[in-house]
Amino acid sequence: MMAPPGTLREVRIPGSTVHVTGTIRINGAAVERARLLFAGQPSQAGGRTVETDAAGRFDVTLARPGDYRVFISGDSVFSQSRAASFDAGDDEWDSNIVGGVVMMDVIPSSSGGNLEFSFEQANGSFWGGGVPNVRTRLLKRGVPAGTYQLSLKRNSQRVSDVTTVTIEDDRSTADVVLREVAR
């Protein structure tokens, strides 16, 4: 129905969406089951999450064009983030993470409370994540060059000795045992 001439009418114009496809690789190899969180800038609640397929490919639709922070994580991926800008319509966004490998044998001594592994650097940077309360082998690929202090924490308290590893480049590999000690 047409409004009479001279009257005001509200017309909703849908926003431009963004369709992003791409591939996530570590040292050139496709990463299966990497999780990507696209968070708008300034930070928008929720963001959009997608997972890569066996070929490292993903496909996601974002609500609006603009600047985003893309958080990349996964069971075998060293968590990190990248800045990205997307225009309305179709965008291709690929990321090749370069870094070494850290393998960790986690040996808990009890089952009470939340057990986490911790990567810490001298500048105060921290990475980590939860682990089950059973002996576990963790693999983290794409660890950036640097020196890290690895340890276990339970309920935010350190419960293992600290092991220091240095990743020099994408060919570096560290294999450590993180054993919870009764305190």
Side-chain angles (χ1 to χ4, degrees):
M1 179 171 162
M2 295 285 293
T7 60
L8 294 177
R9 236 176 106 195
E10 181 178 328
V11 178
R12 295 202 183 267
I13 301 172
S16 300
T17 60
V18 179
H19 180 238
V20 183
T21 57
T23 303
I24 304 299
R25 293 183 174 87
I26 295 179
N27 301 326
V31 180
E32 182 178 7
R33 296 176 34 161
R35 291 179 298 278
L36 286 76
L37 168 64
F38 292 80
Q41 300 289 331
S43 190
Q44 80 186 35
R48 291 280 297 145
T49 303
V50 67
E51 191 171 279
T52 59
D53 64 16
R57 301 275 308 153
F58 68 90
D59 185 316
V60 66
T61 299
L62 305 175
R64 61 176 178 74
D67 296 329
Y68 284 79
R69 195 89 196 152
V70 183
F71 296 89
I72 305 167
S73 63
D75 293 339
S76 68
V77 178
F78 187 80
S79 299
Q80 47 202 276
S81 68
R82 305 264 195 275
S85 291
F86 301 112
D87 296 323
D90 293 332
D91 286 91
E92 177 79 15
W93 188 78
D94 298 320
S95 184
N96 185 39
I97 299 166
V98 176
V101 175
V102 175
M103 294 173 285
M104 298 173 281
D105 280 316
V106 176
I107 305 170
S109 67
S110 66
S111 60
N114 298 324
L115 185 63
E116 301 174 320
F117 69 91
S118 169
F119 278 76
E120 296 175 67
Q121 287 187 293
N123 65 4
S125 297
F126 165 87
W127 296 268
V131 292
N133 281 309
V134 296
R135 185 176 184 137
T136 305
R137 177 110 169 129
L138 298 176
L139 169 70
K140 293 297 178 183
R141 299 179 298 141
V143 179
T147 299
Y148 300 89
Q149 293 183 328
L150 281 63
S151 65
L152 293 176
K153 293 184 178 180
R154 188 176 292 280
N155 301 321
S156 301
Q157 300 297 315
R158 186 167 286 136
V159 293
S160 72
D161 291 333
V162 175
T163 301
T164 301
V165 298
T166 298
I167 300 296
E168 294 178 4
D169 56 32
D170 61 337
R171 295 178 308 275
S172 296
T173 300
D175 196 348
V176 301
V177 175
L178 298 175
R179 182 183 312 271
E180 182 178 14
V181 285
R183 301 205 186 258

